[in-house]
Amino acid sequence: MKQGSRFRVISIGTLVVLGVLIALWQYFSMPGGRNTPRREPGEVVGLEDAAELFNRNCEGCHGPTRAGATGPALLPETLGDKTDEFLATTIRVGRPGTAMPSWKGTLTENEIMGLVKFLKTPPGKTPTWTLKDIESSRRIFIKKEDLPKEPTHKYDIKKMFFVVQREVSKGAFVDGDTFKVVKEHPLGFAVHKAEYSRDGRFAYLIARNGLVTKIDLYSLEKVGEVRAGLNARGVAVSRDGKYVAVSNYLPFNMVILDADDLKPIKIIPFETIDPDGKKVKSRGAAIVDSARYGYFLVALKEGGQVWIIDYKDPDLPVVAKIMAGRILHDFFWDKSGRYWMGAAQLDNSIVVIDAQERRLAARIPTGIKPHPGPGAVWESKGREVAGTVHIGEGKLSVWEVGTWKVVGSVKTAGPGLFLRAHPKSKYVWTDTFTGDGKDAVQVHDKDTFEVVKTIIPSKGKTSIHPEFSYDGKHVLVSVWDRDGEIVVYDAETLKEVTRIRNLVTPTGIFNVGTRLDVGEESNQ
């Protein structure tokens, strides 16, 4: 063998070994779903590692500063005389009847005890993330002048789906005709939402670590990325395609970016008076574009208010602050795009914002901690209705749009996160995320709201986030597992059509066309 050939073989072999080592490291260090501990038995988990565990697994319910939200505050002064063993047992086995799950098998015993110590330690100074920090994180991969003038692929863009692979920080585009994965990208940790520009040209993805990724739907390639915050949940694109707005959990603010090059333009801090009269710094929850009025609307979680930002004005002013309810979460539009309906979880209610008159239109008691996700609006017996599931109980609640009266309530398989409907389907689909029924999705009649079929996509594995295809002929459901998949069903016969396999912890599914049709005469 020649010397050059031998070196090439050694180099290739070295790369293969290196690749295997990296893959093993990613596998065993991945949060939520690893099969063996990433630390040696008996190794102590320090406060810094415990803080990272909290941020990845706990802050969604208990808040990034541990001040509480849908879950209780976890601070030394609120924990009182609770023992280490009490706290450790709660983490291990969860709290039956609540949204607190068991973490046994996901967290090691050392990680659980590290979290206990962390919870009994007073929080430090809240970190900041300035306009300068945002700008320094910005990366452009394709210049505007180098973008293709027309699609470079054969896929129907409106039929395509974007799928989140949560725990491996990846996303996949799926062709809506063949249900095949056609493109994957590494992304920020746990992408929470995909939003599309009104012309169907770009996707904007927001990850929980605050990373915004812009993808060109003509080429399915990354255009750029920027870290708009340290912990984020929502993203919206203005109807004119000029601005992208991000709602942050941390810092407590929203950020407005230039949609073309992702340059930061403005930070709007979320400091206000909550419904109980207390001065608070609030996380940003749902955020949306109002194409009808030319506004961004954003829900302040702890602040309990919905703020309206007028993006027709170049100064991007806050033009209204509407007191709504305690611990605001997901919101969605009615068919007209006038009423924005969403969860006030500690009030066990849906609140309705009138975007035209900039006021609270209604408060609808529905059940324990409503969680509508992207929501569902449909026609039932000649009237427009909307619905929500709940994370505090297994229940679908339905109300009439306009009168804001509850017209139906149905027991479901367990606490749920998402429900979806489509104008061309006679059914509404709901999921279950915890409890004995976590592997079930249920199909409801649009008129009676009753369950007509319970479907188990994969026995014993959590099944979430049903999403209709653009034409309403199919429904896709995520099997949230390390050995995950998406199951495709015929929306009429309710029979399985196919499975999209080899996906790691798939969660959110976002069809392009149905999301583009939001706000004027469709639901979000």
Side-chain angles (χ1 to χ4, degrees), residues 4-303:
S5 300
R6 183 167 62 251
F7 285 159
R8 282 194 294 271
V9 170
I10 292 172
S11 297
I12 293 171
T14 301
L15 289 174
V16 170
V17 172
L18 182 60
V20 170
L21 290 173
I22 291 173
L24 287 170
W25 177 83
Q26 289 177 330
Y27 180 87
F28 290 115
S29 66
M30 188 184 73
R34 60 181 180 274
N35 294 329
T36 58
R38 66 184 177 195
R39 297 179 176 89
E40 294 296 327
E43 182 181 348
V44 175
V45 176
L47 287 178
E48 186 175 338
D49 287 336
E52 179 185 353
L53 288 170
F54 181 89
N55 290 336
R56 289 203 169 193
N57 297 299
C58 313
E59 62 83 25
C61 291
H62 298 286
T65 62
R66 295 153 48 197
T70 57
L74 298 177
L75 299 166
E77 54 265 42
T78 61
L79 295 175
D81 59 358
K82 290 182 174 61
T83 66
D84 289 3
E85 184 53 35
F86 174 86
L87 295 174
T89 299
T90 300
I91 296 170
R92 284 189 206 103
V93 303
R95 296 291 297 274
T98 76
M100 175 65 180
S102 165
W103 292 95
K104 186 177 180 180
T106 299
L107 299 177
T108 68
E109 189 62 22
N110 290 332
E111 288 172 330
I112 289 172
M113 297 312 298
L115 274 172
V116 169
K117 184 177 180 181
F118 171 72
L119 297 179
K120 289 199 165 185
T121 302
K125 183 181 178 181
T126 303
T128 61
W129 193 247
T130 65
L131 283 173
K132 184 177 180 180
D133 294 321
I134 298 171
E135 173 60 26
S136 67
S137 73
R138 190 171 63 92
R139 303 288 183 270
I140 297 298
F141 308 123
I142 303 175
K143 294 180 180 179
K144 186 175 182 178
E145 58 268 25
D146 294 331
L147 291 168
K149 304 300 181 185
E150 57 187 26
T152 60
H153 55 73
K154 61 183 179 181
Y155 314 113
D156 187 323
I157 290 176
K158 282 195 170 184
K159 291 183 179 180
M160 294 188 73
F161 298 85
F162 173 76
V163 176
V164 177
Q165 297 183 75
R166 187 181 188 275
E167 306 296 352
V168 289
S169 302
K170 291 173 64 177
F173 284 96
V174 172
D175 175 27
D177 288 316
T178 64
F179 300 112
K180 303 289 186 184
V181 174
V182 297
K183 188 72 175 181
E184 285 188 304
H185 283 293
L187 301 166
F189 174 71
V191 168
H192 193 253
K193 186 182 180 185
E195 195 67 36
Y196 305 106
S197 59
R198 291 268 164 181
D199 60 3
R201 179 62 197 265
F202 299 107
Y204 295 88
L205 316 173
I206 183 64
R208 288 176 181 249
N209 66 352
L211 189 70
V212 178
T213 303
K214 178 180 180 178
I215 293 181
D216 174 26
L217 295 180
Y218 277 15
S219 64
L220 302 183
E221 297 294 343
K222 284 186 182 181
V223 177
E225 64 185 23
V226 65
R227 193 173 187 189
L230 300 175
N231 193 320
R233 285 300 184 275
V235 64
V237 186
S238 63
R239 68 182 183 189
D240 56 9
K242 288 178 62 177
Y243 303 111
V244 173
V246 176
S247 60
N248 282 319
Y249 268 23
L250 193 68
F252 305 110
N253 64 29
M254 69 176 284
V255 174
I256 299 178
L257 309 168
D258 185 302
D260 274 344
D261 56 15
L262 303 180
K263 286 184 178 180
I265 297 173
K266 186 173 184 178
I267 291 176
I268 300 176
F270 289 152
E271 298 182 20
T272 190
I273 305 298
D274 73 8
D276 297 320
K278 181 181 178 182
K279 186 176 182 180
V280 296
K281 294 182 178 180
S282 179
R283 291 178 287 174
I287 190 167
V288 74
D289 163 58
S290 168
R292 180 169 177 172
Y293 303 109
Y295 300 146
F296 287 126
L297 286 81
V298 60
L300 277 63
K301 199 172 188 76
E302 292 82 8

Side-chain angles (χ1 to χ4, degrees), residues 331-336 339-342 350-352 364-366 370 372 374-381 383-390 395-410 419-421 428 430 445-446 449 522-524:
F331 277 68
F332 61 105
W333 287 113
D334 76 322
K335 285 188 176 183
S336 72
Y339 297 105
W340 202 40
M341 304 171 286
I350 291 291
V351 293
V352 182
I364 310 166
T366 61
V377 178
W378 66 94
E379 292 293 323
S380 174
K381 299 179 180 179
R383 61 191 174 183
E384 181 182 343
V385 298
T388 186
V389 289
H390 301 77
K395 181 181 181 182
L396 166 65
S397 295
V398 183
W399 61 91
E400 183 176 2
V401 173
T403 67
W404 314 119
K405 301 296 184 183
V406 173
V407 295
S409 179
V410 176
L419 75 163
R420 292 299 271 163
V428 178
T430 63
D445 182 272
K446 276 188 172 180
F449 318 131
S522 185
N523 63 294
Q524 176 164 312

